[in-house]
Amino acid sequence: MARAGANFAADHLRSFVSRIERMEEEKKALVADIREIYSEAKGMGFDTKTLRNVVKIRGMDKGEYEESQEILDLYLHVAGHGMLPEDNSDLV
Amino acid sequence: MARAGANFAADHLRSFVSRIERMEEEKKALVADIREIYSEAKGMGFDTKTLRNVVKIRGMDKGEYEESQEILDLYLHVAGHGMLPEDNSDLV
Amino acid sequence: MARAGANFAADHLRSFVSRIERMEEEKKALVADIREIYSEAKGMGFDTKTLRNVVKIRGMDKGEYEESQEILDLYLHVAGHGMLPEDNSDLV
Amino acid sequence: MARAGANFAADHLRSFVSRIERMEEEKKALVADIREIYSEAKGMGFDTKTLRNVVKIRGMDKGEYEESQEILDLYLHVAGHGMLPEDNSDLV
DNA sequence: TATCACTGGAAAACTC
DNA sequence: GAGTTTTCCAGTGATA
């Protein structure tokens, strides 16, 4: 049989493509499931946006979140007043 | 001339469409300008996401922001511990 | 026992959060697996970018069809108001 | 004078915020104007939804063309690797 | 009022 | 590890 090498490669290619496509399907289903849970929570009166925030924050490094809050506070202070509050930072 | 009414309507339609399209262009340009400012700020070392947050919060009613923060804190507490912190709320 | 409602809600909140976090973990693992397959294919001499394009094209057909249907619906809606195709000249 | 750097940064931050807020206001006004035009057209007997569709279709052509070009690029990239069109049979 | 669709931003993932 | 692209979600506006 001619082109044995090509067939060999083609077989592998087919295999890779089908494996990937199968996993993409699983991933897609998983995303749909997650969305479904949020929807369910919403149906019970929970605030979806806040819930997403909770999951995000819990997934963050602890200090990471606090730091981002501090930066936000600093920006808010500076934007809202004529002078820097404590003069203890270069802002960025 | 026949179809005077139709032409009349067509003239108005043309006018409406062109006026709308012109304003849509202006709006598009404005959005691009705003994005440009954020980009400029970023180039000076400011954190873009935080900056957007500042603008958003400043545009919110004051109590509104504080309330959303309190709800977030409550959710975080509940999600992170086995019991409710103060027992003074129905959560939602 | 007092506060049954709050504890009930808290239990649900914890349940939602843990279910979501668990699924997010699965999703994360799945993404890693997919990446692994691409890596394996690359090791066998396949061009990763091309392989991704193949998967994308194969998955795109359905979506493309639906999108073209939506555009057709738009045209039909306009045409249904006597603006297309004969009256087209009156539009611009 | 100490802290010149911080004040400098603070001034810039305030400037960015006020410029953005001003432009957001303009954008808001523009959106209101567009809505007003649609309302005016409606008052003259035009169907608002159809009118919006007309504007959308007229604005869509360019984008649609670019999208089809991207799809073509995908195909060409795959074809450039000897997978299309003759070797198509080996793919699936 | 509430749902639907769309635009625009944030985050994630792949590439180099 | 940085930049770019892609995917996802929040917010806004229109419609019923």
Side-chain angles (χ1 to χ4, degrees), chain C residues 2-3 10 15 18 26 28 33 36 47 51 57 63 77 91:
Chain C
R3 317 291 318 128
S15 169
S18 76
E26 289 183 37
K28 205 170 155 186
D33 287 344
E36 179 64 21
D47 177 61
L51 189 51
I57 289 173
H77 189 250
L91 273 175

Side-chain angles (χ1 to χ4, degrees), chain D residues 43-57:
Chain D
M44 288 187 60
F46 289 103
D47 177 62
T48 304
K49 185 173 180 180
T50 302
L51 188 51
R52 285 183 186 277
N53 284 149
V54 169
V55 171
K56 184 190 282 188
I57 289 173

Side-chain angles (χ1 to χ4, degrees), chain D residues 27-87:
Chain D
K27 183 180 147 194
K28 204 170 156 185
L30 214 40
V31 169
D33 287 344
I34 293 173
R35 182 164 35 228
E36 179 64 21
I37 296 181
Y38 278 110
S39 178
E40 186 183 345
K42 184 173 189 170
M44 288 187 60
F46 289 103
D47 177 62
T48 304
K49 185 173 180 180
T50 302
L51 188 51
R52 285 183 186 277
N53 284 149
V54 169
V55 171
K56 184 190 282 188
I57 289 173
R58 283 170 54 97
M60 217 163 49
D61 290 345
K62 183 169 176 299
E64 291 300 310
Y65 174 73
E66 288 175 354
E67 181 187 8
S68 65
Q69 282 301 111
E70 288 169 10
I71 294 174
L72 178 59
D73 287 343
L74 277 186
Y75 272 100
L76 288 177
H77 190 250
V78 172
H81 287 259
M83 294 181 179
L84 290 171
E86 304 89 342
D87 292 344

Side-chain angles (χ1 to χ4, degrees), chain C residues 15-63:
Chain C
S15 169
F16 284 131
V17 169
S18 76
R19 284 164 70 196
I20 291 167
E21 285 178 343
R22 184 168 171 278
M23 285 185 158
E24 293 280 6
E25 282 303 312
E26 289 183 37
K27 182 180 149 196
K28 205 170 155 186
L30 213 41
V31 169
D33 287 344
I34 293 173
R35 181 163 35 228
E36 179 64 21
I37 297 181
Y38 278 111
S39 178
E40 186 183 345
K42 184 173 188 169
M44 289 188 58
F46 290 101
D47 177 61
T48 304
K49 184 172 182 181
T50 301
L51 189 51
R52 287 182 186 277
N53 285 148
V54 169
V55 172
K56 184 188 282 188
I57 289 173
R58 283 170 54 97
M60 216 164 49
D61 290 344
K62 183 170 177 300

